[in-house]
Amino acid sequence: MSDASRTLPGPGAAPTGRRGPDRDRRTAAPSHGFLARAAAVTAALTVAGAVLGLVRDQTFAHVFGADTDTDAFLVAWTVPEVAATLLIEDGLALVLVPAFSLAAVRRSGPAALVHQGGPDRRTPAADPVRALVAATLPRLALALTALAALLVVAAPALVGLLAPGLPRPGLAVDCTRLTATCALTFGLAGYCSAALRGHGRFLAPATIYVAYNTGIIAVLLAFGARWGVRAAAAGVAAGGCLMVAAQVPPLWRGMRRTARPGTRWRTPRAARSATGERAPKERTGALRLAMVAPVIVFALARQFQTLIERHLAAPLPAGAISHLNYAQKVAQMPMVLSLMLCTVTFPVVARALAAGETERARRRVEGDLLVAGAIVLLGTAVVIGCAPQIVELLFQRGAFGPADTAATAAVMRVYAMGLLAQTMVGVLVRSYFSAARPTWYPAATMLACLVVTAAAGAWAAPAWGARGIAAANALGIAVGALALFAGTGRRSVGLPRRRVGGELLKLAAAGAGATGACWWCAARFTGPAAAITAGSLAALLCFLLLARAARVRGFAPLALLRLLSRPLTRRLRNAR
């Protein structure tokens, strides 16, 4: 695509004149090859982290099963779940990735010299990246420390609010106080991830869940027999520290390398004292007040769906919260994989909108939505068709028996019905917040779907138990996805809704056919591994054939192979 060769003029760029080679290299839009490699690395490390997460859950299920102790820990698990969404995945990322992307563009421009007193007296201006860090990181660290301390003190009230009538509230309070440390560690990890991604570095942020799950597994194996489920809560605290430790060294090296060679920058405080300028700090103040509030409300509203599930499942028979937890973790894996490309392209969209290139941002978001939709629908087909076999293979051992497998598989199939909507929300919300200007529409949308989830769950839980709660979750997120899709015309990048909606409907039809093929093939085998393998292959083949027959726009199964083989073809051509 021709966009790969364009440059993104930052706010500090010269308006006219020829760009030097150094500037072209630092501000050019990333190529398809770079995005594909970055997405592949991110996906591979995310899969590794997810596999370790499954090992963590398998170890937890094998040692503790699904009983009142596990329910008590999973209530405390709400804290890291909310913190991950708010501080790593949605909240801070949606605010800071555009901010760091813009700061990186400004930093890569010509050295900004501020005149002082005359044409011959000039002093170096403040480094935009360091100015952003100096204005945001200390306040953020202080606020997160206070929040962690508040969670420790308010743990009894929090447990009573989340799960009234829990059989062992004292154990849940102990676990909540141990997991409260993630309010600080997850926030620092999310800050480092946003800064690295804003500078086009994706390796270290992709390793955080590998480090996190490694810490939990290590503490669980070392102290599980002695501490019980409290060992898992202590592992959350240790894993959060490892997430930060994995990113600080590359962030420090990257921030020192990013500056244009030969550029003389002052620290923000020294630059302001030399020039009397206070603009950098005031600009970041606008970031704090105007951008953070709608993003925080959106992230909290989305995560509160899980809190509603915990609240509605607490009065149900023992193990209901555990069944919901295991089912959700497995069912959401296709969604996590489908959003890996969006994680890589989010800074690209942010830079394009900052440069006023709305058309390029629109094409990027449209392509991301169709690709992510295809991936998640294929994964949904496998999850629904092979649900009992997946749960049996992953969890059925030790205290986790066949009854737990059947209950978890039934809930997982219902959860999977909302995976496409979850993916659409993840893709579309990035386009709303990429422009680095405040918009309350996504937050209002998620609050509305939160009301739908709560009302539907309160009605369905007494009749259908955990499956009714999962159905309410799918219904609520579907309402949010449709609202975000309907509002993208005026409030976001302006997607052609009729065309994109038609392509998504074609993909959904292909996914439905793939689900039937997977279910039928998986039922022909008795062993879970063989059933999952056969069902997955049948789903893949059926999905590709149906999508091809439906003439989905831009659907070409061999496009990825052509993209990956392009560097080899180019090398062979150069050799000839």
Side-chain angles (χ1 to χ4, degrees), residues 35-129:
L35 294 178
R37 289 190 296 272
V41 170
T42 302
L45 289 172
T46 301
V47 169
V51 170
L52 283 174
L54 290 176
V55 173
R56 175 202 68 203
D57 292 341
Q58 287 174 339
T59 306
F60 189 84
H62 176 73
V63 175
F64 304 112
D67 56 15
T68 55
D69 283 2
T70 59
D71 284 352
F73 167 74
L74 291 174
V75 171
W77 184 261
T78 304
V79 175
E81 280 184 328
V82 174
T85 300
L86 188 61
L87 302 175
I88 298 177
E89 297 166 6
D90 284 342
L92 279 182
L94 294 175
V95 174
L96 290 176
V97 168
F100 274 106
S101 298
L102 180 58
V105 171
R106 287 175 171 173
R107 194 187 208 198
S108 63
L113 296 178
V114 180
H115 287 271
Q116 184 185 23
D120 297 327
R121 299 182 63 188
R122 292 162 48 137
T123 182
D127 182 348
V129 176

Side-chain angles (χ1 to χ4, degrees), residues 83 157 171 324 414 436 460:
L171 180 60
L324 284 165
V414 180

Side-chain angles (χ1 to χ4, degrees), residues 144-500:
L144 294 174
T145 302
L147 176 61
L150 178 62
L151 290 174
V152 171
V153 174
L158 183 61
V159 170
L161 177 65
L162 294 177
L166 195 69
R168 298 197 61 185
L171 180 60
V173 169
D174 293 342
C175 293
T176 300
R177 284 172 171 160
L178 288 169
T179 59
T181 57
C182 69
L184 174 61
T185 56
F186 280 25
L188 296 178
Y191 190 94
C192 294
S193 297
L196 287 167
R197 287 169 179 159
H199 286 77
R201 294 175 173 86
F202 302 96
L203 178 60
T207 63
I208 58 176
Y209 287 112
V210 174
Y212 175 61
N213 289 318
T214 299
I216 296 178
I217 293 171
V219 176
L220 188 60
L221 292 177
F223 302 101
R226 186 184 310 172
W227 296 350
V229 294
R230 293 179 179 87
V236 171
C241 296
L242 292 178
M243 295 169 79
V244 180
Q247 297 184 97
V248 169
L251 178 61
W252 177 255
R253 293 193 302 266
M255 289 183 64
R256 296 183 64 183
R257 271 202 312 263
T258 306
R260 179 184 172 97
T263 300
R264 295 182 297 120
W265 298 107
R266 286 183 182 265
T267 63
R269 180 176 299 178
R272 287 196 299 270
S273 63
T275 64
E277 182 191 9
R278 300 187 60 180
K281 190 171 183 178
E282 293 168 0
R283 284 192 294 267
T284 54
L287 171 69
R288 291 193 308 271
L289 296 176
M291 275 300 302
V292 172
V295 172
I296 295 299
V297 172
F298 166 82
L300 284 176
R302 188 176 182 186
Q303 188 59 39
F304 275 175
Q305 287 197 334
T306 302
L307 304 186
I308 290 174
E309 293 176 14
R310 300 279 197 271
H311 184 84
L312 294 174
L316 297 179
I321 296 179
S322 300
H323 297 150
L324 284 165
N325 174 73
Y326 292 134
Q328 188 180 57
K329 279 181 169 47
V330 178
Q332 286 187 345
M333 288 185 64
M335 179 201 69
V336 173
L337 292 176
S338 67
L339 291 177
M340 286 303 98
L341 178 62
C342 301
T343 300
V344 173
T345 59
F346 183 28
V348 178
V349 176
R351 292 194 181 198
L353 290 177
E357 299 180 359
T358 307
E359 177 62 21
R360 184 161 65 88
R362 183 199 62 75
R363 289 198 304 267
R364 181 73 267 169
V365 174
E366 180 180 351
D368 290 348
L369 188 59
L370 294 179
V371 172
I375 294 173
V376 77
L377 286 169
L378 179 58
T380 300
V382 176
V383 168
I384 295 177
C386 302
Q389 295 87 347
I390 293 174
V391 177
E392 179 183 355
L393 182 65
L394 295 178
F395 301 117
Q396 188 173 313
R397 55 184 59 85
F400 197 96
D404 294 319
T405 296
T408 303
V411 175
M412 192 166 74
R413 279 174 166 158
V414 180
Y415 261 132
M417 302 300 293
L419 288 181
L420 177 60
Q422 295 272 10
T423 298
M424 290 179 63
V425 170
V427 175
L428 293 173
V429 75
R430 287 169 168 81
S431 66
Y432 280 92
F433 291 121
S434 292
R437 62 176 181 266
T439 174
W440 281 94
Y441 183 75
T445 296
M446 295 311 297
L447 288 174
C449 76
L450 189 66
V451 173
V452 173
T453 300
W459 175 80
W464 292 291
R467 287 177 297 174
I469 297 174
N473 180 290
L475 176 62
I477 199 63
V479 171
L482 291 176
L484 287 176
F485 186 69
T488 187
R490 292 178 300 165
R491 300 175 177 86
S492 183
V493 294
L495 289 178
R497 295 188 297 272
R498 180 173 298 181
R499 185 182 72 197
V500 176

Side-chain angles (χ1 to χ4, degrees), residues 491-520:
R491 300 175 177 86
S492 183
V493 294
L495 289 178
R497 295 188 297 272
R498 180 173 298 181
R499 185 182 72 197
V500 176
E503 302 305 318
L504 288 175
L505 288 177
K506 294 178 185 178
L507 288 173
T515 301
C518 178
W519 199 323
W520 185 86

